[in-house]
Amino acid sequence: MSDFPEGRRIGTRKQCFAKALLKNSKTIGYLADISESGFKIRIMERLDREASEKETIGIQFDECAIQYFQVKAKLCWRRDEEKSTLLGYRTESFETAEGSTGYESIRKLYGDGAKGDFT
């Protein structure tokens, strides 16, 4: 079951980015990039976070039929931009085996565009 609010979008949209929910602050962002070892999340607001904070993050990608899952991750860096914050996480563990499968499916969908380590 998803923790994301229902009914925030009217109509359909094309496949794009997986949504990410930072559970501690209930902040929603988008998965900007993903690699085997970690991922980047873009939050469309300024968000104070310190490197080495650990967090449970919910990931959802309905448009690609990937079920909601949770990943435990460690924040490695934060970059404040004009109207957003980019967060770089190292993946630590998944709540379920399905979470690991979902993560790998998203990594393949993103085309393995992330060739480096984000941490």
Side-chain angles (χ1 to χ4, degrees), residues 18-19 31 34 59-61 64 66-67 69 101-112:
K19 292 187 283 186
L31 197 62
I34 186 169
I59 306 288
Q60 183 172 321
F61 206 172
C64 293
I66 296 172
Q67 296 295 315
F69 63 90
T101 301
Y103 186 90
E104 282 304 307
S105 295
I106 293 172
R107 196 165 69 85
K108 288 179 178 144
L109 283 170
Y110 275 53
D112 281 329

Side-chain angles (χ1 to χ4, degrees), residues 16 28 38 79 86 92 103 118:
C16 56
I28 295 175
R79 184 170 71 216
L86 191 61
E92 292 197 334
Y103 186 90
F118 300 135

Side-chain angles (χ1 to χ4, degrees), residues 48-97:
D48 279 337
R49 284 284 192 273
E50 296 297 324
S52 80
E53 282 188 40
K54 294 187 179 187
E55 184 150 23
T56 299
I57 299 168
I59 306 288
Q60 183 172 321
F61 206 172
D62 289 337
E63 295 87 352
C64 293
I66 296 172
Q67 296 295 315
Y68 174 84
F69 63 90
Q70 295 184 18
V71 56
K72 292 186 183 207
K74 177 182 171 185
L75 179 62
C76 297
W77 55 265
R78 179 188 90 211
R79 184 170 71 216
D80 294 321
E81 298 181 349
E82 187 175 330
K83 296 182 179 181
S84 66
T85 301
L86 191 61
L87 304 166
Y89 286 94
R90 175 175 294 283
T91 303
E92 292 197 334
S93 65
F94 298 94
E95 296 286 316
T96 64

